[in-house]
Short mmCIF file of all heavy atoms in Angstrom, two decimals:
data_model
loop_
_atom_site.label_atom_id
_atom_site.label_comp_id
_atom_site.label_asym_id
_atom_site.label_seq_id
_atom_site.Cartn_x
_atom_site.Cartn_y
_atom_site.Cartn_z
N ARG A 74 -4.73 -8.95 -16.47
CA ARG A 74 -4.77 -8.01 -17.59
C ARG A 74 -3.38 -7.94 -18.28
O ARG A 74 -2.32 -8.22 -17.67
CB ARG A 74 -5.13 -6.59 -17.09
CG ARG A 74 -6.61 -6.54 -16.70
CD ARG A 74 -7.01 -5.10 -16.57
NE ARG A 74 -8.04 -4.96 -15.54
CZ ARG A 74 -8.36 -3.81 -14.95
NH1 ARG A 74 -7.73 -2.71 -15.32
NH2 ARG A 74 -9.28 -3.79 -14.05
N GLU A 75 -3.44 -7.51 -19.57
CA GLU A 75 -2.24 -7.49 -20.43
C GLU A 75 -1.08 -6.65 -19.83
O GLU A 75 0.05 -7.04 -19.97
CB GLU A 75 -2.73 -6.86 -21.75
CG GLU A 75 -1.74 -6.90 -22.89
CD GLU A 75 -1.32 -8.32 -23.29
OE1 GLU A 75 -2.12 -9.25 -23.16
OE2 GLU A 75 -0.13 -8.46 -23.74
N ASP A 76 -1.43 -5.53 -19.14
CA ASP A 76 -0.32 -4.67 -18.70
C ASP A 76 0.48 -5.24 -17.59
O ASP A 76 1.47 -4.66 -17.17
CB ASP A 76 -0.93 -3.29 -18.29
CG ASP A 76 -1.82 -3.35 -17.08
OD1 ASP A 76 -2.28 -4.49 -16.68
OD2 ASP A 76 -2.08 -2.29 -16.45
N CYS A 77 0.08 -6.40 -17.05
CA CYS A 77 0.88 -7.04 -15.97
C CYS A 77 1.85 -8.10 -16.53
O CYS A 77 2.59 -8.71 -15.76
CB CYS A 77 -0.07 -7.75 -14.94
SG CYS A 77 -1.03 -6.58 -14.04
N LYS A 78 1.85 -8.28 -17.84
CA LYS A 78 2.64 -9.33 -18.49
C LYS A 78 4.15 -9.14 -18.17
O LYS A 78 4.89 -10.13 -18.00
CB LYS A 78 2.42 -9.34 -19.99
CG LYS A 78 1.09 -9.87 -20.40
CD LYS A 78 1.05 -11.41 -20.35
CE LYS A 78 -0.31 -12.00 -20.75
NZ LYS A 78 -1.42 -11.60 -19.88
N ASN A 79 4.60 -7.87 -18.11
CA ASN A 79 6.04 -7.66 -17.87
C ASN A 79 6.36 -7.38 -16.40
O ASN A 79 7.49 -6.97 -16.06
CB ASN A 79 6.54 -6.44 -18.70
CG ASN A 79 6.55 -6.80 -20.19
OD1 ASN A 79 6.78 -7.94 -20.55
ND2 ASN A 79 6.20 -5.84 -21.02
N GLY A 80 5.37 -7.52 -15.54
CA GLY A 80 5.60 -7.31 -14.14
C GLY A 80 4.61 -6.36 -13.54
O GLY A 80 3.74 -5.80 -14.24
N PHE A 81 4.73 -6.16 -12.23
CA PHE A 81 3.81 -5.27 -11.50
C PHE A 81 4.39 -5.01 -10.11
O PHE A 81 5.33 -5.68 -9.66
CB PHE A 81 2.41 -5.95 -11.35
CG PHE A 81 2.55 -7.40 -10.89
CD1 PHE A 81 2.74 -7.69 -9.52
CD2 PHE A 81 2.52 -8.45 -11.79
CE1 PHE A 81 2.94 -8.98 -9.11
CE2 PHE A 81 2.62 -9.80 -11.40
CZ PHE A 81 2.84 -10.04 -10.04
N ILE A 82 3.81 -3.99 -9.48
CA ILE A 82 4.20 -3.70 -8.10
C ILE A 82 2.90 -3.84 -7.25
O ILE A 82 1.87 -3.22 -7.61
CB ILE A 82 4.74 -2.28 -7.94
CG1 ILE A 82 5.98 -2.13 -8.76
CG2 ILE A 82 5.07 -1.98 -6.47
CD1 ILE A 82 6.50 -0.69 -8.86
N LEU A 83 2.95 -4.62 -6.23
CA LEU A 83 1.78 -4.78 -5.38
C LEU A 83 1.96 -3.94 -4.13
O LEU A 83 2.96 -4.08 -3.40
CB LEU A 83 1.60 -6.28 -4.97
CG LEU A 83 1.24 -7.20 -6.10
CD1 LEU A 83 1.20 -8.66 -5.62
CD2 LEU A 83 -0.14 -6.83 -6.70
N ASP A 84 1.03 -3.03 -3.94
CA ASP A 84 1.10 -2.08 -2.81
C ASP A 84 -0.19 -2.29 -1.94
O ASP A 84 -1.29 -1.97 -2.39
CB ASP A 84 1.14 -0.67 -3.38
CG ASP A 84 0.74 0.42 -2.37
OD1 ASP A 84 0.65 0.13 -1.18
OD2 ASP A 84 0.48 1.56 -2.76
N GLY A 85 0.03 -2.89 -0.77
CA GLY A 85 -1.13 -3.13 0.09
C GLY A 85 -1.74 -4.51 -0.06
O GLY A 85 -2.80 -4.82 0.46
N PHE A 86 -1.13 -5.34 -0.87
CA PHE A 86 -1.52 -6.73 -1.07
C PHE A 86 -0.29 -7.56 -1.23
O PHE A 86 0.65 -7.09 -2.00
CB PHE A 86 -2.43 -6.88 -2.32
CG PHE A 86 -2.80 -8.31 -2.57
CD1 PHE A 86 -3.96 -8.84 -2.01
CD2 PHE A 86 -1.99 -9.16 -3.32
CE1 PHE A 86 -4.35 -10.13 -2.21
CE2 PHE A 86 -2.33 -10.50 -3.47
CZ PHE A 86 -3.51 -10.99 -2.94
N PRO A 87 -0.15 -8.76 -0.63
CA PRO A 87 -1.10 -9.36 0.30
C PRO A 87 -1.03 -8.71 1.68
O PRO A 87 0.00 -8.16 2.05
CB PRO A 87 -0.63 -10.81 0.34
CG PRO A 87 0.86 -10.74 0.03
CD PRO A 87 1.05 -9.55 -0.91
N ARG A 88 -2.08 -8.91 2.47
CA ARG A 88 -2.14 -8.37 3.83
C ARG A 88 -2.41 -9.50 4.84
O ARG A 88 -2.44 -9.22 6.05
CB ARG A 88 -3.22 -7.35 3.91
CG ARG A 88 -2.73 -5.90 3.94
CD ARG A 88 -3.89 -5.04 3.94
NE ARG A 88 -3.73 -3.71 4.46
CZ ARG A 88 -3.60 -2.64 3.71
NH1 ARG A 88 -3.51 -2.71 2.43
NH2 ARG A 88 -3.52 -1.46 4.28
N THR A 89 -2.67 -10.72 4.38
CA THR A 89 -2.82 -11.84 5.28
C THR A 89 -2.08 -13.04 4.67
O THR A 89 -1.81 -13.07 3.47
CB THR A 89 -4.33 -12.25 5.42
OG1 THR A 89 -4.80 -12.72 4.10
CG2 THR A 89 -5.18 -11.14 5.92
N ILE A 90 -1.78 -14.07 5.52
CA ILE A 90 -1.10 -15.27 5.03
C ILE A 90 -2.00 -15.94 3.97
O ILE A 90 -1.48 -16.38 2.95
CB ILE A 90 -0.83 -16.25 6.20
CG1 ILE A 90 0.11 -15.60 7.23
CG2 ILE A 90 -0.32 -17.58 5.68
CD1 ILE A 90 1.58 -15.51 6.78
N HIS A 91 -3.27 -15.94 4.22
CA HIS A 91 -4.22 -16.57 3.29
C HIS A 91 -4.12 -15.89 1.89
O HIS A 91 -4.06 -16.54 0.86
CB HIS A 91 -5.66 -16.53 3.83
CG HIS A 91 -6.66 -17.15 2.90
ND1 HIS A 91 -7.70 -16.42 2.32
CD2 HIS A 91 -6.76 -18.40 2.42
CE1 HIS A 91 -8.39 -17.20 1.58
NE2 HIS A 91 -7.89 -18.40 1.59
N GLN A 92 -4.01 -14.58 1.90
CA GLN A 92 -3.87 -13.85 0.61
C GLN A 92 -2.56 -14.17 -0.04
O GLN A 92 -2.45 -14.29 -1.28
CB GLN A 92 -3.93 -12.30 0.83
CG GLN A 92 -5.35 -11.80 1.22
CD GLN A 92 -5.40 -10.31 1.48
OE1 GLN A 92 -4.46 -9.55 1.15
NE2 GLN A 92 -6.48 -9.82 1.99
N ALA A 93 -1.48 -14.34 0.76
CA ALA A 93 -0.15 -14.63 0.16
C ALA A 93 -0.17 -16.03 -0.45
O ALA A 93 0.37 -16.25 -1.50
CB ALA A 93 0.93 -14.55 1.26
N GLU A 94 -0.89 -16.96 0.24
CA GLU A 94 -0.94 -18.34 -0.31
C GLU A 94 -1.74 -18.33 -1.62
O GLU A 94 -1.36 -19.00 -2.57
CB GLU A 94 -1.58 -19.28 0.73
CG GLU A 94 -0.64 -19.58 1.87
CD GLU A 94 -1.32 -20.26 3.06
OE1 GLU A 94 -2.59 -20.29 3.11
OE2 GLU A 94 -0.58 -20.72 3.95
N ALA A 95 -2.77 -17.53 -1.65
CA ALA A 95 -3.60 -17.46 -2.85
C ALA A 95 -2.79 -16.85 -3.98
O ALA A 95 -2.79 -17.27 -5.13
CB ALA A 95 -4.88 -16.65 -2.60
N LEU A 96 -1.97 -15.82 -3.64
CA LEU A 96 -1.12 -15.17 -4.68
C LEU A 96 -0.11 -16.17 -5.23
O LEU A 96 0.15 -16.18 -6.43
CB LEU A 96 -0.38 -13.95 -4.05
CG LEU A 96 0.53 -13.22 -5.00
CD1 LEU A 96 -0.24 -12.54 -6.11
CD2 LEU A 96 1.39 -12.16 -4.25
N ASP A 97 0.45 -17.02 -4.35
CA ASP A 97 1.40 -18.03 -4.83
C ASP A 97 0.79 -18.96 -5.85
O ASP A 97 1.49 -19.43 -6.74
CB ASP A 97 1.85 -18.89 -3.62
CG ASP A 97 2.89 -18.20 -2.77
OD1 ASP A 97 3.48 -17.21 -3.25
OD2 ASP A 97 3.09 -18.65 -1.63
N ARG A 98 -0.54 -19.16 -5.77
CA ARG A 98 -1.19 -20.03 -6.73
C ARG A 98 -1.47 -19.28 -8.05
O ARG A 98 -1.67 -19.91 -9.08
CB ARG A 98 -2.52 -20.58 -6.19
CG ARG A 98 -2.25 -21.58 -5.04
CD ARG A 98 -3.53 -22.36 -4.66
NE ARG A 98 -4.46 -21.51 -3.91
CZ ARG A 98 -4.44 -21.36 -2.60
NH1 ARG A 98 -3.54 -21.98 -1.89
NH2 ARG A 98 -5.30 -20.58 -2.01
N ILE A 99 -1.38 -17.93 -8.00
CA ILE A 99 -1.65 -17.17 -9.23
C ILE A 99 -0.34 -16.89 -9.97
O ILE A 99 -0.25 -16.99 -11.20
CB ILE A 99 -2.35 -15.83 -8.90
CG1 ILE A 99 -3.66 -16.03 -8.16
CG2 ILE A 99 -2.61 -14.98 -10.18
CD1 ILE A 99 -4.32 -14.72 -7.63
N THR A 100 0.69 -16.44 -9.23
CA THR A 100 1.95 -16.01 -9.87
C THR A 100 3.10 -16.12 -8.89
O THR A 100 2.92 -16.18 -7.67
CB THR A 100 1.83 -14.56 -10.37
OG1 THR A 100 3.04 -14.19 -11.07
CG2 THR A 100 1.60 -13.60 -9.23
N ASP A 101 4.32 -16.07 -9.45
CA ASP A 101 5.52 -16.07 -8.66
C ASP A 101 5.90 -14.56 -8.49
O ASP A 101 5.47 -13.72 -9.24
CB ASP A 101 6.65 -16.75 -9.47
CG ASP A 101 7.70 -17.38 -8.58
OD1 ASP A 101 7.57 -17.23 -7.34
OD2 ASP A 101 8.64 -17.95 -9.11
#
Side-chain angles (χ1 to χ4, degrees):
R74 289 195 213 162
E75 189 61 31
D76 65 344
C77 293
K78 289 282 180 295
N79 292 326
F81 48 79
I82 300 173
L83 292 175
D84 161 14
F86 178 91
R88 256 176 157 102
T89 62
I90 297 285
H91 180 242
Q92 290 180 12
E94 288 169 347
L96 179 66
D97 282 343
R98 290 191 287 274
I99 303 173
T100 182
D101 208 1

